[in-house]
Amino acid sequence: MPLVDVIVKMQSDGVSIDVELLKEMSVGLNNKINTIQKDLYELIGHEFNIRSSKQLSEVLFSELKLKSVKKTATGFSTDATSLDSIKRSLDTGNDENADPRSYEVIDNILEFRELSKLKSTYVYVLPQLVNQYTGRVHTSYRQTGSSTGRVSSNDPNVQNIPVRTELGRQVRSAFIAKGHPSTILISADYSQIELRVLAHLSQDASLINAFNNDEDIHASTSSLVYDVPISEVTPDMRRIAKVLNFGILYGLTPFGISQQTNLSPEQGKEFISIFFNNYPGIKDYIDKTINFCQQNGYVESLKGRRRYLPEINSSNRIARQAAERAAINMPIQGTAADTIKISMINIQDQIDKNIISSKMILQVHDELVFESNVDELKLLETIITENMTQAIELDVPLKIDMKIGDNWGNMRSLIDTIS
């Protein structure tokens, strides 16, 4: 309940949008989408409905002779995960009968979908959501929108704007500080909070030590798994370790590892075994959590948020395994969600007590975005730092990355990392 007033204020304050930038983006996206469509028609030799799963399936699996990776009730799957798996098979030469055009076709399809989704979900829609009286967009936040306690949003859903793609950053660039240069945006993002919560819950000595020594956690895992010094960890080794670190939170299987890396399921199984040998506390946490859920029918976050999972004792293997994955993840993600909610309450309380005009305008998973007057920036920075890093007590430090800029997509580091 204490968060309700904070969310109401965020919704009421809203965020400024650069409508002209979005209009320019819309024109550019239309041109790109049309070009990709024409390229696909030329590659295949005829027109077809790219948005039709049935017609796309016919092109991929009948005309290009690709191996399917998943079957649905209506035919072979053409979802993004399946297409990524097919691409990896082509990379490793496991689909020798595939048409030479296949790789380029799949790339074009994935890009077509990404551009179309961005255009329809954000670039076209955001200008229509600008309130005619305030000139700002007022997203709606829901506390009960997810089973783990994470805040969700709609109209627009700011949680789903891509972070790592150039186009996603362009969309974020349309969220601006109104009145710049006298106002500026400041973002504060928890650094690897779910892995830090896992370290606390699992009490794994290696994981706790890595965080307390301020090590690069993915490089640290890679060093253990590959049995090499951290200084000899390569970017490829670190990438696989990152898949392992985050995948464990979601019950990643050997097959899941093979889908996200170039490793075979057998190698994935070996990596998981090595991972748990080096982090025995994590394996113990997983076993104890599943056992607790089987006995009690629920799991809970550090702050007592519960998720009931009656399927944990189901005779249906698929339902049971899904419940086990949810049981492993919920205390971690739920605690992270509780932490940022506590931060939001305490930060808004300090903003009110100091009678400053800076506003908390966006919440996206582990990130908070503020619109600040430049002359209030130093005070706001202190308020954010103190309240986010002290929101909850863990056996490892909570850290945040802070950035500033005149728009959300192009921000520079305020300080490297504050602890």
Side-chain angles (χ1 to χ4, degrees), residues 83-142:
L83 294 187
D84 279 333
S85 294
I86 292 169
K87 265 182 73 175
R88 276 191 292 275
S89 289
L90 293 170
D91 274 335
T92 54
N94 290 337
D95 199 349
E96 296 172 359
N97 297 322
D99 190 288
R101 299 169 291 173
S102 300
Y103 201 94
E104 192 176 351
V105 167
I106 292 174
D107 265 350
N108 280 339
I109 291 165
L110 290 171
E111 188 178 6
F112 178 89
R113 286 177 174 174
E114 182 195 4
L115 300 184
S116 299
K117 184 177 180 180
L118 271 178
K119 180 178 179 291
S120 61
T121 310
Y122 297 107
V123 178
Y124 176 72
V125 171
L126 278 171
Q128 299 178 53
L129 295 175
V130 175
N131 185 286
Q132 61 176 318
Y133 300 108
T134 65
R136 293 164 78 93
V137 167
H138 303 267
T139 188
S140 297
Y141 289 97
R142 296 170 61 206

Side-chain angles (χ1 to χ4, degrees), residues 265-289:
E266 291 74 24
Q267 289 172 313
K269 184 178 180 181
E270 185 181 353
F271 265 67
I272 290 175
S273 176
I274 295 169
F275 180 92
F276 283 136
N277 284 338
N278 283 287
Y279 293 124
I282 296 178
K283 183 70 170 71
D284 191 44
Y285 160 76
I286 290 171
D287 293 341
K288 284 182 177 176
T289 302

